[in-house]
Amino acid sequence: MKSMNHEGIISHLLSWLEEAGCFVKIVSINHLNEIEAELYMRHDQGSFSEEFYQERLTTFRYQPYSNIKEPKSIIIIAVPQPTILLIFRYLGLDHSMYIPPTYDYSIDAELKHHLKKIIQPYSYHLASTYIPLKLFAVRSGLAEYGRNNICYIPGEGSFFRLVAFYTDLPCLKDNWRYTVMMERCKVCRTCVVACPLGAINEDRFLLHAERCLAFHNEHSGNFPQNIDSNLHHCLFGCMICQNVCPENKKNVGWIEEREQFSEYETFAILNGIPLEQIPNSTKKKLSKLGLIDDYLILARNLSVLLN
């Protein structure tokens, strides 16, 4: 076992993350119960639609994994990510499709691998979390809420993915705070005006998530009748409020092409051919994009965009 004090290990970990372009905070494990209670309280106050609450907010887990005997802190990381461009060949033409930032799940495993390499030689441990990341990021001081309830890194915009890990490293400096909204949002109404479904308004701080196009794009079943088919522009999620946000001026053009799907692959997806029957090469593409679990929703959304 190597020898280094807590401060040295944490400094090494933070330096590696910062050199990788990430933003990071470490907070005490003791805040887990507080966050759980806050979400229960908001639900009891009627802040969420019941459908949204049951689908998105009841699946969090507030107990650290058992492989850490005495968890002491949570590492919260914001990883910059671009908008992802995919090309689907359909009826002899190439069609551009977009996936918003934050959807590249592959970074989670990469971060976990690298951080374990840093702390395990000193007999510390790391485990994945499933917690309300946006709320933790804002309360930790890592991010601030926009009026659209999306997280923003001050001065950097919202094009990043949040990842968090439990660890038995001590929390040496806990900058816990109340929920914070960006100063610009107090006078800016750009996203309020731009949202075509009225999900963002000024009568309350919380988003009307049940109206949000992103929620319905990630929700199975038929789209509500009030959603015009012309509003669809992403395979998942929605980019309208982020693309018009003044805080994202430097990010809007950050687009990276990831995969191309042949005419046959597009046909297979559109027709819901079972995953076990599609080529392994196609499954690998979908897996890299984090779309395996949402395969059936992908078929529905792609059909709307193409037609």
Side-chain angles (χ1 to χ4, degrees), residues 32-47:
L32 275 173
N33 292 336
E34 183 180 345
I35 291 295
E36 184 178 16
E38 181 172 342
L39 287 182
Y40 279 131
M41 178 191 70
R42 291 185 182 184
H43 173 252
D44 291 342
Q45 293 173 343
S47 299

Side-chain angles (χ1 to χ4, degrees), residues 260-279:
Q260 295 188 11
F261 292 85
S262 68
E263 187 100 30
Y264 172 77
E265 290 174 314
T266 302
F267 174 87
I269 294 169
L270 287 174
N271 286 276
I273 293 177
L275 277 169
E276 59 270 19
Q277 295 179 22
I278 65 175

Side-chain angles (χ1 to χ4, degrees), residues 217-230:
N217 263 347
E218 298 163 9
H219 179 71
S220 60
N222 297 325
F223 289 113
Q225 292 184 349
N226 67 308
I227 298 181
D228 189 303
S229 60
N230 291 321

Side-chain angles (χ1 to χ4, degrees), residues 14-304:
L14 294 177
S15 295
W16 185 89
L17 286 167
E18 289 167 4
E19 288 175 8
C22 301
F23 304 88
V24 59
K25 291 287 184 181
I26 301 176
V27 295
S28 170
I29 197 76
N30 296 328
H31 298 303
L32 275 173
N33 292 336
E34 183 180 345
I35 291 295
E36 184 178 16
E38 181 172 342
L39 287 182
Y40 279 131
M41 178 191 70
R42 291 185 182 184
H43 173 252
D44 291 342
Q45 293 173 343
S47 299
F48 310 113
S49 75
E50 193 61 25
E51 180 185 29
F52 175 78
Y53 178 77
Q54 292 298 332
E55 183 171 324
R56 296 296 181 85
L57 303 180
T58 60
T59 54
F60 293 126
R61 297 291 176 262
Y62 298 94
Q63 295 300 321
Y65 284 63
S66 58
N67 66 317
I68 302 181
K69 291 183 178 179
E70 294 184 31
K72 296 178 181 178
S73 62
I74 300 172
I75 303 171
I76 309 169
I77 306 162
V79 187
Q81 289 192 341
T83 299
I84 295 172
L85 168 64
L86 307 178
I87 305 296
F88 288 85
R89 188 78 173 174
Y90 181 65
L91 299 180
L93 298 174
D94 288 336
H95 297 264
S96 297
M97 302 291 169
Y98 298 93
I99 297 178
T102 77
Y103 284 75
D104 184 357
Y105 300 96
S106 63
I107 192 64
D108 299 26
E110 291 179 29
L111 281 175
K112 188 175 184 179
H113 172 73
H114 286 292
L115 297 184
K116 275 187 172 181
K117 286 178 65 176
I118 292 173
I119 69 173
Q120 279 187 338
Y122 304 99
S123 296
Y124 287 105
H125 307 85
L126 199 76
S128 299
T129 68
Y130 192 53
I131 57 178
L133 291 169
K134 290 196 297 182
L135 189 52
F136 259 99
V138 173
R139 296 293 300 272
S140 73
L142 175 64
E144 298 175 350
Y145 274 122
R147 186 178 291 280
N148 55 8
N149 287 189
I150 290 173
C151 277
Y152 288 76
I153 298 293
E156 299 295 333
S158 63
F159 281 36
F160 57 85
R161 175 171 175 77
L162 293 172
V163 188
F165 300 102
Y166 296 122
T167 178
D168 44 8
L169 275 167
C171 175
L172 301 180
K173 187 177 181 182
D174 194 8
N175 294 314
W176 200 245
R177 65 180 183 181
Y178 291 109
T179 300
V180 175
M181 183 170 73
M182 286 192 297
E183 282 296 319
R184 181 193 286 269
C185 293
K186 296 175 182 178
V187 295
C188 180
R189 300 183 68 255
T190 304
C191 64
V192 177
V193 173
C195 180
L197 297 174
I200 311 165
N201 56 44
E202 296 173 282
D203 64 357
R204 68 179 198 171
F205 173 69
L206 284 173
L207 183 81
H208 290 281
E210 71 281 2
R211 303 178 191 172
C212 181
L213 182 60
F215 172 65
H216 293 290
N217 263 347
E218 298 163 9
H219 179 71
S220 60
N222 297 325
F223 289 113
Q225 292 184 349
N226 67 308
I227 298 181
D228 189 303
S229 60
N230 291 321
L231 293 179
H232 297 284
H233 57 286
C234 291
L235 277 172
F236 290 94
C238 175
M239 286 298 294
I240 293 174
C241 63
Q242 292 189 80
N243 280 340
V244 301
C245 179
E247 291 289 321
N248 276 332
K249 280 185 178 179
K250 68 178 183 180
N251 297 325
V252 172
W254 186 21
I255 300 172
E256 292 184 5
E257 182 179 332
R258 292 290 173 85
E259 300 289 348
Q260 295 188 11
F261 292 85
S262 68
E263 187 100 30
Y264 172 77
E265 290 174 314
T266 302
F267 174 87
I269 294 169
L270 287 174
N271 286 276
I273 293 177
L275 277 169
E276 59 270 19
Q277 295 179 22
I278 65 175
N280 285 332
S281 57
T282 308
K283 280 190 282 190
K284 286 180 180 179
K285 292 179 186 179
L286 295 173
S287 180
K288 283 169 61 179
L289 294 165
L291 299 179
I292 290 290
D293 291 340
D294 295 317
Y295 180 62
L296 295 180
I297 297 177
L298 170 63
R300 180 201 62 183
N301 293 0
L302 181 59
S303 177
V304 171

